[in-house]
Structures are given as structure tokens and as C-alpha cells.
Amino acid sequence: MTHTLTVKTARRCLPATAALLAVFAVFAAGAVPARAAAEPVRETGQRTWLHLTVTRGEVLRPGLRPLRPAGHRSGDTRDTLLLCEPPLGHGRAAEACAQLDAAHGDIRRIATRDGSCPMVYAPLTAQARGMWQGRPVDYRETFSNSCAMEAVTGALFAFDR
């Protein structure tokens, strides 16, 4: 059985999740002994995570109308949470994390792949939000098809494979 988390459901759960994490942090901070609090903080990797989404069809900013026939359906969204320490989130997580590391977390600096893609218009909007080594990441780009997306973003948004 496959369970899918939609963006609407995830957004509704974010305030509750944030509140639970805040409560946990308060209790965890109170449970730390004084000696442990004086020791240097070790990097745990929790400051590196990306929520990745790929939406089929054109995703426009609010107020804009797409030019497509009536009855045309789009908006099938897939998402995952990419963690890099250790690599988790999709089948090519290790490759995606290595590409992000080489680009210092800047998705626009991922090395592009040479090659040719078919001239098929099947738009995809890729979006990434989160933190990369403590720095915020907010990326959004629409590509003409999945080949063009993978040529530019590498393995990052290839979590369906």
C-alpha cells in the first residue's frame, strides 16, 4: 500500500510539528547536565535538509491564468524530504547530496549535464525549500520536461526513480 503526503496536508501539519519540536527542545534542554552543556556542540547534520517537490503541469504565481484548454488537468505533485547525513529520501539521495555538496548547497550551481532532450512540452515545476548547512534554501524553476529538469538539477529531483 502506498501512502502519499500532499502539499496541503504537509502545510496543515507544519504548525503542529513545529509546536511539538519546540516542546521537545524545552524538555531536552532542561535534561542536559551542566558538564555536557559546557562541552562544544558537535554538528549533527540536522541543519541540512530539503523538502523537494515536483509538480506536473504549469504552476503559476497567484493571479496568473495558464493558457491551456478547459478541462486540462495538471498539478500532480510528488514530494520527499532529502537528508544528507546519512543520505536518505529517495533512490538517488547519495548522488543528489554529492551534487549539492559540490555546488555548496546552491541548486543553480549544480553542474549541468551535456546531451540532448526531446522537444516535448510536458512542464514540470521543481521546488526545494529547507536548510543547507544552516543556510536557507528556496528554489523554484519550471522546466519543459523531465529530461531538461534532470540535465539542470542532476539527481536532486529524480526521486521517482
Side-chain angles (χ1 to χ4, degrees), residues 92 95-96 99-100 102-103 105-117 124-127 139-158 161:
R92 295 173 65 187
E95 185 181 352
Q99 290 171 346
L100 276 169
D106 186 352
I107 297 170
R108 288 176 176 81
R109 292 180 56 197
I110 290 177
T112 58
R113 173 181 55 105
D114 289 333
S116 60
C117 289
L124 297 165
T125 299
Q127 186 169 353
Y139 172 86
R140 180 181 173 142
E141 187 74 36
T142 300
F143 299 93
S144 59
N145 57 47
S146 59
C147 177
M149 179 179 69
E150 192 168 339
V152 173
T153 62
L156 185 62
F157 293 100
R161 297 182 191 133

Side-chain angles (χ1 to χ4, degrees), residues 13-96:
C13 295
L14 282 177
T17 304
L20 285 173
L21 286 174
V23 168
F24 176 74
V26 168
F27 284 117
V32 175
R35 187 187 75 211
E39 294 176 6
V41 177
R42 197 180 112 218
E43 185 66 38
T44 62
Q46 295 175 354
R47 295 172 6 125
T48 300
W49 59 273
L50 291 176
H51 179 236
L52 307 171
T53 61
V54 175
T55 304
R56 295 194 183 281
E58 295 177 270
V59 178
L60 299 174
R61 303 209 190 292
L64 297 177
R65 293 178 41 158
L67 297 173
R68 62 177 171 241
H72 176 79
R73 294 186 53 169
S74 65
D76 176 29
T77 300
R78 305 230 187 261
D79 70 326
T80 191
L81 182 65
L82 177 68
L83 303 173
C84 289
E85 297 170 3
L88 299 170
H90 61 78
R92 295 173 65 187
E95 185 181 352

